[in-house]
């Protein structure tokens, strides 16, 4: 059924309620096995489709990006057999198309700033195996990369993002402090073997008086030399590293990062990203903690499950821990080379059941709402649109009408919509919306 044939609400019929949508799923190699994957469970409940137990389930996408579009569920009911109409023909109306026909649902301020594109992309991730060492380009670089390599860089937008832990969650994020970097170069001889003793000495003799730009210049040289090393050199050096760590493990307990490196090498043998992991901060989040990443910052999610929100983009520049396309030159040239631990967000309580996470980006914020049995909470109207995903339990969401919701449901809420959420048995959900600070400017 084509979009034009659907009974879609028009601008003249201004939509006021909640719109149920079908999300998309990604079966990337690093995802969790189906039986252990939160993403697989959500997708099955959301779509009504069957889960392939031989496939990994990595990402659950909610938004308007063409690489993983969401679809409108006509009539607001649950789906059957993976199709919005339950009859084997997927509804052709994407959420993007529906918004383009109903632009007022974005609110005037959002529409003026971003047009009919939903400014944020909302995801759930299930990470069994480390993702690539990567960074996301800023707006100017994204435009250039998309123009030069449109099949690799599929849009022209930047991609700041935030990960909010659902479980214990591990990530590599940003470069270590200068103090730690000097210790690493002194205690990991394999790094010196790759980059050379002259460059290693430049690192050893750096100090805080040298100034930020000089430190960045040396760090950039070190990282670029490492990432550009030949496959043969990296294979030989990693064999020495793993042998040395296994011997050390018999006489002392390895550090967290040494243990991480051993694990990464099993996942990605002879990969330069294993050695590069020493240069990054190894961050461990507890459930309810979040970290955010600006443009041109290196990172790699390592393990766990999280809610992720970002500007609407799928641009990724990779250089290690991946079988996918690597663009080492671009990655090494684009990074900021800032050092130090990333900021951890613990959220701000906005009511007894809801915590809000506000990164320093206009496009998005995330609310975490955990309702105990026999409770009610109000989400006051916001000037921009929202997407809700129900992670557990069941209840009702009421605007002008009441909608019954349960685990796996994804709902789009137009701008300026008051929502009351109630449950008798308990309900766990997340909301993504445009950053509320954006409307205060």
């Amino acid at each position: 059924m084509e979009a034009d044939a659907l009974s879609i609400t028009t601008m003249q019929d201004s939509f006021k309620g909640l719109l149920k949508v079908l999300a998309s799923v990604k079966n990337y190699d690093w995802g969790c096995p189906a039986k252990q994957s939160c993403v697989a469970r959500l997708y099955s409940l959301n779509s009504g489709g069957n889960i392939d137990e031989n496939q990994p389930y990595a990402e659950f996408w909610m938004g308007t990006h063409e690489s993983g579009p969401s679809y409108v569920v006509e009539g607001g009911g649950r789906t059957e057999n993976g199709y919005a109409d339950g009859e084997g023909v997927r509804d052709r109306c994407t959420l993007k198309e529906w918004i383009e026909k109903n632009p007022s649902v974005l609110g005037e301020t959002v529409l003026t700033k971003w047009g009919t594109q939903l400014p944020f992309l909302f995801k759930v991730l299930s990470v069994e195996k480390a993702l690539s060492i990567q960074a996301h380009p800023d707006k100017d670089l994204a435009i250039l990369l998309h123009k030069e390599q449109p099949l690799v860089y599929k849009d022209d937008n930047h991609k700041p993002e935030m990960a909010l832990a659902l479980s214990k969650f591990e990530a590599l994020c940003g470069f270590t402090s200068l103090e730690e970097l000097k210790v690493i170069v002194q205690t990991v001889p394999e790094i010196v073997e790759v980059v050379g003793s002259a460059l290693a000495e430049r690192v050893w003799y750096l100090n805080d008086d040298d100034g930020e730009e000089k430190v960045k210049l040396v760090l950039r040289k070190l990282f670029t030399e490492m990432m550009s090393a030949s496959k043969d050199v990296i294979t030989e050096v990693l064999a020495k590293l793993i042998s040395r760590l296994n011997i050390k493990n018999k006489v002392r307990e390895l550090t967290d990062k040494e243990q991480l490196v051993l694990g990464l090498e099993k996942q990605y043998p002879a990969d330069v990203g294993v050695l590069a992991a020493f240069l990054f901060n190894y961050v461990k989040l507890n459930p309810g903690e979040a970290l955010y990443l600006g443009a041109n910052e290196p990172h790699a999610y390592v393990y766990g499950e999280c809610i992720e929100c970002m500007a609407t983009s799928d641009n990724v520049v990779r250089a290690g821990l991946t079988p996918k396309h690597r663009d080492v030159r671009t990655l090494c040239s684009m990074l900021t080379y800032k050092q130090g631990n990333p900021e951890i967000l613990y959220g701000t309580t906005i009511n007894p059941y809801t915590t809000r996470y506000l990164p320093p980006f206009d496009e998005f914020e995330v609310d975490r709402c955990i309702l105990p049995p026999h409770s009610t909470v109000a989400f006051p109207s916001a000037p921009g649109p929202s997407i809700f995903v129900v992670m557990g339990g069941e209840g009702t969401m009421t605007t002008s009408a009441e909608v019954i919701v349960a685990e796996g449901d994804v709902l789009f809420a137009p701008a300026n919509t008051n929502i009351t959420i109630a449950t008798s048995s308990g309900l766990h959900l997340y909301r993504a919306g445009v950053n509320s600070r954006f409307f205060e400017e």
Side-chain angles (χ1 to χ4, degrees), residues 53-276:
E53 294 189 358
N54 297 315
Q55 286 262 43
Y57 282 78
E59 296 188 351
F60 185 71
W61 285 36
M62 300 161 282
T64 56
H65 197 282
E66 293 177 357
S67 294
S70 296
Y71 292 83
V72 172
V73 178
E74 284 298 305
R78 278 200 169 247
T79 54
E80 299 174 19
N81 303 318
Y83 298 96
D85 60 5
E87 296 178 358
V89 179
R90 181 178 286 280
D91 239 345
R92 295 295 181 184
C93 181
T94 65
L95 180 59
K96 179 180 175 67
E97 291 167 339
W98 186 87
I99 290 173
E100 287 172 348
K101 292 176 180 289
N102 300 273
S104 64
V105 299
L106 296 179
E108 183 178 349
T109 308
V110 172
L111 196 56
T112 300
K113 171 78 172 179
W114 290 287
T116 58
Q117 175 76 283
L118 192 67
F120 58 85
L121 176 59
F122 202 21
K123 298 182 183 180
V124 181
L125 272 58
S126 293
V127 181
E128 175 75 10
K129 182 178 174 182
L131 280 68
S132 59
I133 292 174
Q134 60 185 255
H136 307 300
D138 59 31
K139 182 69 174 176
D140 291 341
L141 181 58
I143 292 171
L144 179 64
L145 291 174
H146 178 61
K147 182 178 180 180
E148 293 180 345
Q149 302 180 69
L151 296 180
V152 177
Y153 303 106
K154 299 181 180 179
D155 57 74
D156 61 1
N157 201 16
H158 67 164
K159 191 187 175 188
E161 66 186 26
M162 178 173 68
L164 170 54
L166 291 168
S167 67
K168 294 279 189 179
F169 192 77
E170 300 175 13
L172 294 169
C173 182
F175 289 102
T176 62
S177 66
L178 176 58
E179 182 181 356
E180 186 176 345
L181 176 65
K182 293 168 74 170
V183 172
I184 289 165
V185 173
Q186 289 171 333
T187 58
V188 184
E190 294 81 10
I191 290 179
V192 180
E193 187 172 342
V194 172
V195 304
S197 57
L199 183 52
E201 286 182 9
R202 288 181 68 186
V203 174
W204 293 337
Y205 291 117
L206 284 171
N207 60 65
D208 292 333
D209 295 333
D210 286 320
E212 185 178 345
E213 290 309 311
K214 181 178 179 180
V215 173
K216 284 184 178 182
L217 189 65
V218 174
L219 176 57
R220 175 173 175 162
K221 178 69 173 173
L222 175 75
F223 185 67
T224 302
E225 287 289 327
M226 181 186 295
M227 300 307 289
S228 304
S230 71
K231 183 75 171 179
D232 288 345
V233 167
I234 294 300
T235 299
E236 181 181 344
V237 164
L238 285 181
K240 294 178 182 177
L241 171 64
I242 300 307
S243 175
R244 180 173 65 81
L245 291 182
N246 283 329
I247 292 170
K248 277 195 172 185
N249 198 23
K250 295 177 181 178
V251 296
R252 68 161 172 85
E253 185 176 354
L254 297 180
T255 66
D256 283 355
K257 193 171 281 186
E258 288 172 335
Q259 292 178 35
L260 169 67
V261 163
L262 285 178
L264 292 176
E265 196 276 335
K266 290 178 181 177
Q267 295 176 359
Y268 298 98
D271 192 301
V272 65
V274 176
L275 191 61

